[in-house]
Structures are given as structure tokens and as C-alpha cells.
């Protein structure tokens, strides 16, 4: 459970940082590579964040924030993956 929580926080940090800096968008493969974890293990975490509206997937299979970062709380991220 703690690994899922750490992964969720890391994913949200990377996607939010890309949003703030105008950097590239993250795909599941890119996130998995950066976090050094198999895509199959990260997929359920990303799916849970997307189901809770914290992430949105695009047609190009990349992820964007699903909510304004100012209203995303640590608790909302953790609850999404618990």
C-alpha cells in the first residue's frame, strides 16, 4: 500500500511539474521509466488517479492534470489509491 501511495505522489508531482513548466507530457511508459518501475505495476496507480479525476488521459496517450493543482491535496491523492 505504501508503494502505491509513493508512486501516486511521484506521478502527480511529475505531471504537475510538467504543467507548471510547460514541459513535455508524460505517457505511462515515460512515467514508468522515470520511476524505474514496470508499466504493468504503475498502470493501476495511474488508473486510480484517473478514475478519481486527478489525471486525464489524452488521445495521444499522455496524462494531464484533471484538476487545478491549487486544489489537489495530498489527502486526495492518497485516498485515490487506497
Amino acid at each position: 500500500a505504501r508503494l502505491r501511495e509513493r508512486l501516486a505522489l511521484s506521478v502527480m508531482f511529475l505531471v504537475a511539474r510538467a504543467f507548471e513548466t510547460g514541459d513535455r507530457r508524460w505517457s505511462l511508459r515515460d512515467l514508468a521509466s522515470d520511476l524505474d518501475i514496470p508499466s504493468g505495476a504503475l498502470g493501476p496507480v495511474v488508473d486510480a488517479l484517473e478514475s478519481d479525476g486527478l489525471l486525464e488521459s489524452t488521445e495521444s496517450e499522455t496524462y494531464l492534470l484533471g484538476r487545478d493543482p491549487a486544489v489537489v491535496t495530498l489527502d486526495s491523492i492518497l485516498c485515490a489509491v487506497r
Side-chain angles (χ1 to χ4, degrees), residues 18-47:
F19 171 80
E20 293 291 329
T21 63
D23 202 5
R24 68 184 172 115
R25 293 182 180 173
W26 289 91
S27 68
L28 180 61
R29 185 184 331 177
D30 293 337
L31 288 165
S33 176
D34 196 76
L35 297 172
D36 197 28
I37 189 162
S39 309
L42 186 59
V45 173
V46 171
D47 289 344

Side-chain angles (χ1 to χ4, degrees):
R2 289 197 188 269
L3 177 60
R4 281 178 57 93
E5 292 172 351
R6 283 192 308 233
L7 290 172
L9 292 171
S10 296
V11 166
M12 291 300 294
F13 170 77
L14 292 170
V15 174
R17 184 175 63 187
F19 171 80
E20 293 291 329
T21 63
D23 202 5
R24 68 184 172 115
R25 293 182 180 173
W26 289 91
S27 68
L28 180 61
R29 185 184 331 177
D30 293 337
L31 288 165
S33 176
D34 196 76
L35 297 172
D36 197 28
I37 189 162
S39 309
L42 186 59
V45 173
V46 171
D47 289 344
L49 294 169
E50 189 176 4
S51 292
D52 247 36
L54 294 168
L55 290 179
E56 287 183 9
S57 59
T58 67
E59 288 182 13
S60 60
E61 298 184 15
T62 58
Y63 292 95
L64 301 172
L65 291 177
R67 299 182 191 161
D68 181 336
V71 300
V72 175
T73 64
L74 289 175
D75 191 51
S76 66
I77 298 168
L78 297 176
C79 286
V81 296
R82 287 184 175 152

